[in-house]
Amino acid sequence: MTKLTIDGRAIEVEQGTRIIEAARQHGIYIPRYCYHPGLSIAGNCRMCLVEVEKAPKLMIACQTVCNDGMVVHTKSEKTKTAQAAILEFLLINHPLDCPVCDQAGECDLQNFYLDFGRYTPTFAEPKVKKRKAYPIGAHVILDSERCVLCSRCVRFCEEITQTHELGIFDRGDHAELMLAPGKTLDNNYSANTIDICPVGALTDRQFRFQVRVWYLRAFRSVCPGCSRGCNIDIHTNPNRPHHADGQRLVRIKPRFNPEVNRWWMCDYGRYSQGWVDAAERLALPLRAQGGAQQPCEWSEAIAAAAELLRGAAGQIGVIASAKESNEDLFLAGKLLREHLGAKGATVGGFDPQAPHDQLLLQADKAPNRAGAVALGWDASAGAERKLLERAARGEIKLLYVVGRDLAAELGKEPVDVALSKAALIYQGPLANPTSARAQVVLPSAAFAERDGSFTNSAKRAQLFLEAFPPLGEAKADWEIFQLLAKELGESWDYRSAQEVFVELAKTAPEFAGMTHEILGQHGALLASARGGAALPEPDPSALDRSGKIPTAPWGSR
């Protein structure tokens, strides 16, 4: 261990720790542009200059290793003067377009000027003009005039994706971030360059001019795009209607988890969740009447579904989705398998040829397959087809489908044959050709509209929180199963997904001892993956619903 003093505070850090990280670990923030903990050190912005006693000049904190007895000043007059000078150099050619910049409100150039600058400008010469606001990829817009040449995006494409799309060309004040010849920024992780850009040089083509960031609130969640389970923040705008087609899910940002995704997430997960606010969302219960599905009250839909379930007890087939939470699948199994004796309960297999890579993106697009298996669901390939074949032979009288479009997945013909012999209850968030065939349709909430947990492919159970209320009259799936259970004579009385998870942990050995507080902000491994290690300590802050946007210094920046 190394002992040193920073701003009069005696601290102790691991040997080899750099000053900028030593300060961060003890709550002292040193401004930076080029430094990012997930990238190599460039040391080119000079914003992190600090005064080290006995050193002949100011030192850059991102590259200077801590030594025993070192005395560091991050707020001395020398340091403040240097920071103001660096800011003046960076702003010499920077356009003063903060009012129309998407980065306004979360821009380090703005924030650092207010915190460390406030200088009187002396530069009177014309600014160097560069290209403004042109697309360099499917998701990214580049404004070269705003770029401070920190090189974070260049290093990301060299070190993380290893696709080498970006570079800094030319010299002096004409140096400019540009695409490499013949390249476009089209790797699977291109939008991470937006996240790590400290200014407004790289902005999101989809989010651009949609809403000011100070109206947004952030809620911790887990990406449902694949079985990796990247940790994310869902940004929503509760104070003003979002003008782009009524979207409530305004944008998704990666959330740091050292065990899962670190600071990154793929573009597939980030941009494929628009279905949450899609026109196909089911907002009301439906019941087949007179040859057509008609909206009805929840009480009527639950009574009709319960009647179908009673009539088919012992001859029920359940086809659920591995995109359901642990809590949903637990109560589904408790009701349909244990109470009603369902003969088959499956979440199906996955296509190993689906898009994937070696970094984060998994071929398995279901975020909770490992949780489903741990709760006793059949996840073998072809299990759904077997259930449809049994229905076609008359062995199954009722199919209960949760969150799946069987017609799209397995083909219209086998579904038609099965449903010519069996009734159908459909429960899910989206209308589709399968839901259109159901006698009863029960609208369920999207992942962003409820609390719950997913278990990723590494058997790590992770908590996600409700970002906004369910659309229309949709309900969380576990709530729907509870309504059905009560209609069928059970006395369940779960008041939250948190209470369901407590009961789950008492029943399923893999989840023994877990609670939502223990899952915390970074999740916890199932018993078989933990290898006898203890569970994490409970973290009550994991259930914090303040919705505060994470500040840049302690977030992805």
Side-chain angles (χ1 to χ4, degrees), residues 438-454:
Q439 280 71 49
V440 180
V441 176
L442 305 173
S444 62
F447 77 101
E449 299 170 336
R450 66 181 195 263
D451 292 353
S453 61
F454 292 140

Side-chain angles (χ1 to χ4, degrees), residues 236-278:
T236 183
N237 179 11
N239 299 316
R240 288 189 176 187
H242 186 48
H243 69 75
D245 301 321
Q247 290 177 334
R248 296 167 300 157
L249 196 160
V250 178
R251 68 176 179 180
I252 290 174
K253 290 284 189 179
R255 177 167 52 90
F256 177 70
N257 187 329
E259 305 299 331
V260 180
N261 58 304
R262 302 181 78 214
W263 297 269
W264 325 119
M265 72 176 298
C266 73
D267 291 352
Y268 173 85
R270 189 190 303 253
Y271 295 110
S272 64
Q273 310 311 325
W275 62 269
V276 171
D277 292 310

Side-chain angles (χ1 to χ4, degrees), residues 123-189:
F123 187 79
E125 288 76 16
K127 293 178 181 286
V128 174
K129 301 298 182 183
K130 298 176 183 177
R131 288 180 292 178
K132 292 190 67 67
Y134 61 99
I136 59 173
H139 304 298
V140 185
I141 291 279
L142 170 61
D143 190 318
S144 294
E145 285 189 349
R146 296 174 184 167
C147 180
V148 295
L149 302 177
C150 70
S151 78
R152 282 184 181 181
C153 56
V154 177
R155 284 174 283 147
F156 177 83
C157 293
E158 289 178 352
E159 300 163 10
I160 306 302
T161 65
Q162 299 181 11
T163 48
H164 310 284
E165 293 97 339
L166 297 172
I168 295 174
F169 300 86
D170 222 323
R171 303 181 65 180
D173 61 1
H174 284 75
E176 185 175 353
L177 173 69
M178 290 191 293
L179 286 167
K183 294 272 193 175
T184 57
L185 188 57
D186 56 2
N187 65 64
N188 288 339
Y189 301 86

Side-chain angles (χ1 to χ4, degrees), residues 70-402:
M70 181 180 279
V71 179
V72 180
H73 302 283
T74 72
K75 297 178 176 62
S76 67
E77 285 305 313
K78 281 186 179 180
T79 301
K80 291 178 180 178
T81 300
Q83 288 167 344
I86 294 296
L87 281 168
E88 182 168 15
F89 280 128
L90 292 176
L91 285 166
I92 281 175
N93 290 310
H94 196 87
L96 300 180
D97 56 3
C98 296
V100 295
C101 179
D102 256 6
Q103 194 78 359
E106 53 184 3
C107 173
D108 287 346
L109 201 57
Q110 273 185 337
N111 296 338
F112 291 167
Y113 177 78
L114 292 173
D115 292 340
F116 308 106
R118 298 178 182 272
Y119 58 84
T120 300
T122 59
F123 187 79
E125 288 76 16
K127 293 178 181 286
V128 174
K129 301 298 182 183
K130 298 176 183 177
R131 288 180 292 178
K132 292 190 67 67
Y134 61 99
I136 59 173
H139 304 298
V140 185
I141 291 279
L142 170 61
D143 190 318
S144 294
E145 285 189 349
R146 296 174 184 167
C147 180
V148 295
L149 302 177
C150 70
S151 78
R152 282 184 181 181
C153 56
V154 177
R155 284 174 283 147
F156 177 83
C157 293
E158 289 178 352
E159 300 163 10
I160 306 302
T161 65
Q162 299 181 11
T163 48
H164 310 284
E165 293 97 339
L166 297 172
I168 295 174
F169 300 86
D170 222 323
R171 303 181 65 180
D173 61 1
H174 284 75
E176 185 175 353
L177 173 69
M178 290 191 293
L179 286 167
K183 294 272 193 175
T184 57
L185 188 57
D186 56 2
N187 65 64
N188 288 339
Y189 301 86
S190 66
N192 289 278
T193 61
I194 302 166
D195 300 331
I196 62 177
C197 179
V199 294
L202 298 175
T203 51
D204 191 322
R205 294 181 71 174
Q206 281 75 16
F207 177 73
R208 192 172 170 83
F209 304 134
Q210 297 298 312
V211 61
R212 283 301 197 179
V213 298
W214 47 81
Y215 294 125
L216 298 179
R217 296 180 69 198
F219 295 88
R220 288 190 299 278
S221 191
V222 176
C223 177
C226 79
S227 59
R228 171 71 64 175
C230 291
N231 288 207
I232 61 173
D233 282 315
I234 291 175
H235 289 187
T236 183
N237 179 11
N239 299 316
R240 288 189 176 187
H242 186 48
H243 69 75
D245 301 321
Q247 290 177 334
R248 296 167 300 157
L249 196 160
V250 178
R251 68 176 179 180
I252 290 174
K253 290 284 189 179
R255 177 167 52 90
F256 177 70
N257 187 329
E259 305 299 331
V260 180
N261 58 304
R262 302 181 78 214
W263 297 269
W264 325 119
M265 72 176 298
C266 73
D267 291 352
Y268 173 85
R270 189 190 303 253
Y271 295 110
S272 64
Q273 310 311 325
W275 62 269
V276 171
D277 292 310
E280 294 78 24
R281 281 295 305 274
L282 292 166
L284 297 169
L286 304 174
R287 184 182 178 188
Q289 293 177 318
Q293 290 177 341
Q294 301 293 336
C296 63
E297 298 293 330
W298 265 105
S299 57
E300 184 181 349
I302 291 295
E307 183 179 351
L308 289 170
L309 290 166
R310 285 193 197 96
Q315 292 180 297
I316 300 171
V318 186
I319 300 177
S321 169
K323 294 186 177 182
E324 301 298 312
S325 71
N326 292 310
E327 295 80 359
D328 301 330
L329 292 173
F330 170 67
L331 287 195
K334 187 175 180 181
L335 173 66
L336 300 171
R337 290 186 302 186
E338 297 176 20
H339 182 85
L340 293 167
K343 289 188 173 181
T346 175
V347 292
F350 68 92
D351 178 10
Q353 302 304 315
H356 62 283
D357 58 40
Q358 299 302 310
L359 184 53
L360 295 176
L361 183 60
Q362 304 281 296
D364 184 2
K365 301 308 176 190
N368 198 34
R369 192 177 309 281
V373 172
L375 293 169
W377 288 77
D378 182 359
S380 60
E384 300 99 325
R385 290 191 181 276
K386 293 176 182 177
L387 279 178
L388 291 182
E389 290 168 1
R390 292 177 65 186
R393 293 195 299 267
E395 298 172 12
I396 289 176
K397 291 184 177 180
L398 173 67
L399 284 171
Y400 199 121
V401 177
V402 183

